[in-house]
Amino acid sequence: MSLALANALVQATMSACHAQGRFAVAAVIDRGGHLLSLQRDDRVGPHNTDAAVKKAFTALSTKTPSRLFADNARKTPDASNLNTIDSLLLIGGGVPVKVGDDVIGAIGVGGAGGAAFDEACALEAIDKVLGTAK
């Protein structure tokens, strides 16, 4: 993922949240898990920055939206210890960024008012920038 694409995704994510009257923090990481771009609204608590990065990392490393991964982990007894891995955050708001079937990075959103709102902002951004919300 290029820096230009990461910046476009962060800006589109923030715009999607703002269009709904929501404030947020958005983070984009590349396929290696490195932070490329981040923006945080003034009204969002500082803990949401770390949460957004961890949501993005969770989506990247599992190639699954963090909400779906969290739901599946809660339903599987053998996965109950996943919440002890510091780099993962089992909360919705992380979405893998794909080109075709290739995961090139992920977006993580926090502070928009709940996991469903966080995820919706990311999906809208991916659709706007890449033309697909997969």
Side-chain angles (χ1 to χ4, degrees):
M1 178 179 305
S2 69
L3 179 59
L5 177 56
N7 286 335
L9 288 166
V10 162
Q11 186 58 49
T13 301
M14 296 300 281
S15 293
C17 286
H18 295 161
Q20 298 176 23
R22 300 190 175 280
F23 301 98
V25 58
V28 172
I29 62 174
D30 66 12
R31 74 174 74 225
H34 302 99
L35 181 64
L36 292 179
S37 187
L38 183 129
Q39 287 186 24
R40 183 186 64 82
D41 282 314
D42 291 340
R43 296 182 184 184
V44 176
H47 67 283
N48 287 295
T49 300
D50 188 40
V53 173
K54 286 184 175 186
K55 289 176 182 185
F57 187 83
T58 302
L60 172 75
S61 64
T62 64
K63 299 179 180 174
T64 305
S66 61
R67 175 192 49 78
L68 181 59
F69 184 72
D71 289 346
N72 290 339
R74 278 190 288 279
K75 294 174 187 173
T76 307
D78 289 343
S80 64
N81 65 343
L82 287 171
N83 65 350
T84 65
I85 300 173
D86 285 342
S87 57
L88 299 180
L89 188 58
L90 302 181
I91 301 173
V95 179
V97 177
K98 296 180 181 181
V99 173
D101 291 330
D102 190 22
V103 176
I104 63 167
I107 301 175
V109 181
F117 293 115
D118 295 343
E119 183 175 311
C121 292
L123 289 171
E124 185 175 325
I126 292 169
D127 190 47
K128 179 179 181 184
V129 174
L130 296 176
T132 178
K134 293 183 181 178

